[in-house]
Amino acid sequence: MTIESAPALTGCPACGTVAEAHSRRVVRLVDAPCFDTPVVLIWRKRRYRCREHACTTKTFTEQVPDLVRPRGLLTTRAARWAIGQVRSEHASVQGVARQLGVRWRTVWSAIRPILAAAAADETRFGGVSTLGVDEHVWHHVSTKAPQDGGRGPKELTGMVDLTTDENGQVRARLLDLVQGRTRAAYADWLQARGKEFTAGVDVATLDPFQGYKNAIDDELADATAVLDAFHVVALGTKCVDEVRRRVQQDTTGHRGRKGDPLYGIQTILRAGAENLTDKQRTRIERAFAAHAEHEKVDLTWQCAQQLRSAYKHVDKAEGRKIAERIVASFPSCPIPEIARLGRTLRKWKEAFLAYFDTGATNGGTEAINGLIELHRRIARGLTNFENYRLRMLLIGGGLNL
């Protein structure tokens, strides 16, 4: 398809003098595909001559930003289409490039400026009242600084908007990714957002990592820190696994094998008691009764289920009472793993109990982490942190596009 702009008076970009037509230049542009078929536009681009003899700009070509960025190959429409494919259809940049009939670098060079401009827009941080934070590993190679040939820290800290909208739905919107899993990484990001942002945050959810808690205490002094329910329940489940393996070794002298009672129930011990079938309950009871030492696993499992029941209770006030009993009783438990968990919960008591007042969880943050993992696999990994950040902000809904 051949296109050209409508005739119009055009001023010289240097001096503003009305220019005169000089010639045409044919430019090939790649447009969004039509019915899965690549589309090519032939743009008869106008060239102009400045009439002012003293002007240093003798000739220049027209620019139409709504059509294509300067010196770009993809049209603006094609770039927006590519962004939509990556964000909504979970497409890879290479897959989009194949559909357009171009290379990866051509597609990324067209969409990267759009994503970077959206990421630099501070208005996207407005209206955040519940803030989640969590870490994830973005690479498994050298941790040397980028200037020394590495990729920097393996861990990234991600901030997620967990504010509830007018329909009662959690936004679960990725706000940013910063390098490192430290107090400084989180605190520096909060400081960069300014007082208006931090003053608007009422609730801050986190996993039991003291570095993040210190950053919240320093930068979000008026916010309520809430220990994430998922991580707390996971700690209880971890205790069950640890005790089961320890008792297995003590009673048999080896790791679990087929036919061992405790080995046969390792999976169902991780499930909630309310989800077990009668057959599964019978298997658990039979395994616990197989040896006197298995009573330790039984007690640990009951403690983990009690911890789970605090979060499962319909009445938050009743759930809080269960949680308070847990904090009071677990540290004195004869099972070392449960006693250690009790000391952890006692240390985090305020943030642990805050859930039953706010109902806030880091579930939306974990959902975003799942999307990040998905797109990292789709991309076969990314070696450049800034490209990684922009890609994940796009799929995490953090950009106003």
Side-chain angles (χ1 to χ4, degrees):
M1 179 185 294
T2 302
I3 61 172
E4 63 180 37
S5 60
L9 292 178
T10 302
C12 173
C15 66
T17 303
V18 176
E20 62 182 3
H22 176 56
S23 61
R24 298 271 187 173
R25 179 186 175 192
V26 176
V27 177
R28 181 181 180 274
L29 302 176
V30 177
D31 200 12
C34 179
F35 303 110
D36 297 327
T37 302
V39 175
V40 175
L41 300 181
I42 305 301
W43 181 20
R44 299 185 67 239
K45 197 173 184 180
R46 300 175 186 272
R47 295 186 67 192
Y48 296 95
R49 177 189 293 113
C50 182
R51 295 176 175 178
E52 178 57 53
H53 297 291
C55 182
T56 56
T57 300
K58 302 302 181 183
T59 62
F60 61 92
T61 57
E62 66 175 327
Q63 299 295 337
V64 184
D66 290 341
L67 175 64
V68 63
R69 65 185 180 89
R71 304 184 69 84
L73 176 60
L74 264 61
T75 64
T76 302
R77 179 167 56 187
R80 291 288 179 178
W81 175 85
I83 289 173
Q85 291 295 107
V86 174
R87 177 172 57 180
S88 303
E89 304 300 329
H90 302 297
S92 66
V93 176
Q94 183 61 43
V96 171
R98 283 195 297 268
Q99 294 181 69
L100 293 173
V102 296
R103 296 190 176 187
W104 181 96
R105 190 175 299 278
T106 302
V107 174
W108 186 249
S109 64
I111 67 177
R112 189 179 190 279
I114 300 174
L115 301 183
D121 181 11
E122 290 289 321
T123 61
R124 66 191 183 89
F125 298 114
V128 177
S129 60
T130 303
L131 182 64
V133 63
D134 202 3
E135 84 289 339
H136 75 273
V137 177
W138 80 285
H139 72 81
H140 297 273
V141 294
S142 173
T143 58
K144 294 189 296 184
Q147 58 268 26
D148 297 329
R151 297 187 192 175
K154 293 183 179 181
E155 297 86 2
L156 298 182
T157 295
M159 281 63 66
V160 178
D161 178 13
L162 300 176
T163 307
T164 304
D165 61 19
E166 61 277 6
N167 298 318
Q169 299 295 319
V170 176
R171 293 177 185 169
R173 186 169 59 94
L174 180 63
L175 296 176
D176 217 340
L177 289 172
V178 295
Q179 289 185 300
R181 181 183 182 257
T182 62
R183 184 208 69 83
Y186 191 22
D188 290 348
W189 183 85
L190 289 171
Q191 290 175 5
R193 302 286 71 77
K195 294 294 184 182
E196 184 178 353
F197 175 85
T198 55
V201 178
D202 299 321
V203 177
T205 64
L206 74 161
D207 60 4
F209 172 55
Q210 192 60 44
Y212 292 157
K213 181 62 166 59
N214 292 340
I216 291 172
D217 292 342
D218 293 343
E219 305 300 331
L220 300 173
D222 296 331
T224 300
V226 180
L227 197 59
D228 180 46
F230 170 83
H231 287 88
V232 174
V233 173
L235 289 176
T237 304
K238 181 180 179 183
C239 288
V240 176
D241 279 339
E242 290 176 350
V243 174
R244 180 188 58 79
R245 287 193 293 266
R246 176 166 61 82
V247 172
Q248 170 77 29
Q249 287 283 354
D250 292 343
T251 55
T252 65
H254 58 71
R255 297 176 59 185
R257 298 173 182 172
K258 184 178 180 180
D260 292 340
L262 293 181
Y263 182 75
I265 62 171
Q266 60 173 326
T267 302
I268 57 178
L269 285 180
R270 301 189 184 108
E274 71 280 3
N275 298 322
L276 297 178
T277 64
D278 292 340
K279 182 179 179 180
Q280 289 172 326
R281 290 179 182 276
T282 301
R283 287 176 57 193
I284 289 178
E285 292 171 359
R286 188 183 303 120
F288 288 160
H291 196 287
E293 286 293 306
H294 293 183
E295 183 181 353
K296 297 177 182 178
V297 184
D298 186 6
L299 177 58
T300 306
W301 185 68
Q302 292 181 38
C303 290
Q305 292 302 317
Q306 184 181 11
L307 182 60
R308 180 185 175 90
S309 70
Y311 289 109
K312 295 291 289 185
H313 209 291
V314 177
D315 187 349
K316 289 289 192 296
E318 292 299 319
R320 183 186 178 93
K321 292 179 181 179
I322 297 174
E324 290 173 343
R325 289 198 296 270
I326 288 172
V327 173
S329 62
F330 275 23
S332 59
C333 181
I335 307 297
E337 291 81 357
I338 293 298
R340 183 188 63 206
L341 174 60
R343 291 191 296 270
T344 299
L345 294 178
R346 185 170 58 189
K347 176 183 176 182
W348 289 84
K349 179 179 179 180
E350 185 176 346
F352 173 44
L353 297 179
Y355 166 81
F356 303 97
D357 298 324
T358 63
T361 73
N362 231 11
T365 307
E366 296 299 332
I368 290 295
N369 277 346
L371 274 177
I372 290 174
E373 295 289 343
L374 170 64
H375 276 257
R376 189 174 61 197
R377 291 194 296 271
I378 289 174
R380 303 292 194 272
L382 291 104
T383 60
N384 181 287
F385 167 69
E386 190 55 32
N387 288 352
Y388 184 90
R389 172 177 173 266
L390 293 176
R391 178 80 170 268
M392 300 314 168
L393 284 177
L394 172 63
I395 62 98
L399 305 180
N400 296 327
L401 293 170

